[in-house]
Amino acid sequence: MLVSLIIPCYNEEGSLPILYEALCAVRTSESTEERHFEFIFINDGSRDKTSSIIKELSEKDPDVKYVFFSRNFGKEAAMYAGMQKAKGDYVAILDADMQDPPSLIPDMIKVLDSGEYDIVAARRVTRKGEPKIRSFFARRFYKLINRMCDVEIADGARDFRLMKREVVDAILSLSERQRFSKGIFAWVGFRTKWVEHENVERVAGETKWSFWKLFKYAIDGIVAFTTAPLRLATFSGFGFACAGFIYLIYYFIRAIILRIYNEVPGYPSLLCFILFIGGLILMCLGILGEYIGRTYIESKGRPIYIPSDESKD
Ligand code: UDP
Ligand code: MG
């Protein structure tokens, strides 16, 4: 029985040696006659020494395998590549920066061994050490997406998880290009056990997520998993049409019964109305654009990542 550990790495020269130590400790304590480990490092177009560190590790350790990308394709693509390469019966994905504590893996393996669950996923119960404003928007995002989507996406859920083979195959069968794994994990279902841990700060280097990148990721997530925003146009259009109709009747009655025909005042309210509706129309067009744009990108059918020729089997 093989356990594959997938590690997406983007400029992680500082963290990799520490992570590798921790992975070796897990391997030493958990390896048995039947249980073996493989470590799959995905080098997502790093510009520092990450690639040479990975190559060095693979030379002295036959359990280390890797895929190198021809440029930075993002963590989503890296996780996909890792899952494609993984041959294990159990497959785990963990960050290179030790924010997904490898020390949890032995317990996760035990849970899957018990046969009651197909996935063990980690979840942060605190967001300690994270900028306040980031936590605030993250919380709002999870509220919003869960209200709009059919699948439940847990707040604080990380990509850190150990999965059985069936789950990995199910995830790989979703071949969409614009991947939002938190949604995909929830969408494929299966019996999931959550293990909770405190937020851990990264051991070295810096986070690759700026606020703006996270914001775009949030929009990706919503657009990928629900078409509810499109309904906004329908509902608000209907609302405004009704309001317009009532307004019309009101003026009609005034003209017939009260004999008030023309009134110059009302210019400001008219302007406000036009601006408001104009804004709303633009917003709805923008939402439409988000979906159409994504359909366009998806329709090109480009691969999710391109391996560089340094990659080996
Ligand atoms: N990562 C990646 N490609 C990217 C950005 C990040 O493979 O374009 C990897 C990164 O090396 C790390 C994991 O994804 O192992 C999580 O990244 P990070 O720690 O920057 O995210 P955070 O923990 O702050 O959400
Ligand atoms: Mg991190």
Side-chain angles (χ1 to χ4, degrees), residues 8 10 12 44 72 75 95-97 99 202 207-209:
Y10 177 50
E12 298 285 5
D44 184 10
N72 178 247
K75 186 183 175 189
D95 284 4
D97 58 7
Q99 281 190 302
R202 55 161 45 243
T207 175
K208 277 90 200 173
W209 292 91

Side-chain angles (χ1 to χ4, degrees), residues 118-119 151 161 167 170 183-192:
D118 304 305
I119 306 174
V151 290
R161 53 188 58 228
V167 183
I184 292 176
F185 291 146
W187 191 88
V188 295
F190 293 102
R191 297 164 300 172
T192 307

Side-chain angles (χ1 to χ4, degrees), residues 94 98-105 108 122 158 160 197-198 200:
L94 63 161
M98 301 286 285
Q99 281 190 302
D100 297 333
S103 54
L104 292 179
I105 293 174
M108 292 168 118
R158 300 187 53 84
F160 182 27
H197 67 91
E198 296 266 311
V200 187

Side-chain angles (χ1 to χ4, degrees), residues 30-143:
E30 296 301 304
S31 283
T32 55
E33 277 292 301
E34 314 88 71
R35 179 173 289 142
H36 303 282
F37 281 80
E38 65 174 358
F39 306 148
I40 301 175
F41 291 90
I42 313 295
N43 177 17
D44 184 10
S46 304
R47 275 187 226 97
D48 62 0
K49 296 206 196 70
T50 304
S51 60
S52 51
I53 296 175
I54 295 176
K55 275 190 198 147
E56 249 166 57
L57 292 179
S58 89
E59 268 156 31
K60 65 173 198 210
D61 183 342
D63 291 340
V64 171
K65 301 182 180 138
Y66 59 75
V67 178
F68 282 12
F69 285 1
S70 60
R71 65 167 170 85
N72 178 247
F73 279 90
K75 186 183 175 189
E76 295 288 340
M79 292 195 290
Y80 189 81
M83 283 189 266
Q84 273 186 328
K85 191 162 177 75
K87 300 210 174 64
D89 306 285
Y90 291 173
V91 176
I93 301 175
L94 63 161
D95 284 4
D97 58 7
M98 301 286 285
Q99 281 190 302
D100 297 333
S103 54
L104 292 179
I105 293 174
D107 285 338
M108 292 168 118
I109 292 177
K110 271 188 209 97
V111 174
L112 287 199
D113 278 344
S114 77
E116 269 177 66
Y117 295 95
D118 304 305
I119 306 174
V120 199
R123 171 191 211 156
R124 302 188 280 190
V125 279
T126 57
R127 287 178 170 269
K128 196 176 72 203
E130 196 184 67
K132 284 256 157 31
I133 180 132
R134 184 166 156 177
S135 314
F136 174 80
F137 280 106
R139 292 239 157 76
R140 290 282 91 63
F141 166 71
Y142 283 109
K143 280 248 161 65

Side-chain angles (χ1 to χ4, degrees), residues 13-24:
E13 58 181 6
S15 332
L16 276 183
I18 305 169
L19 177 84
Y20 178 68
E21 287 290 303
L23 294 182
C24 287

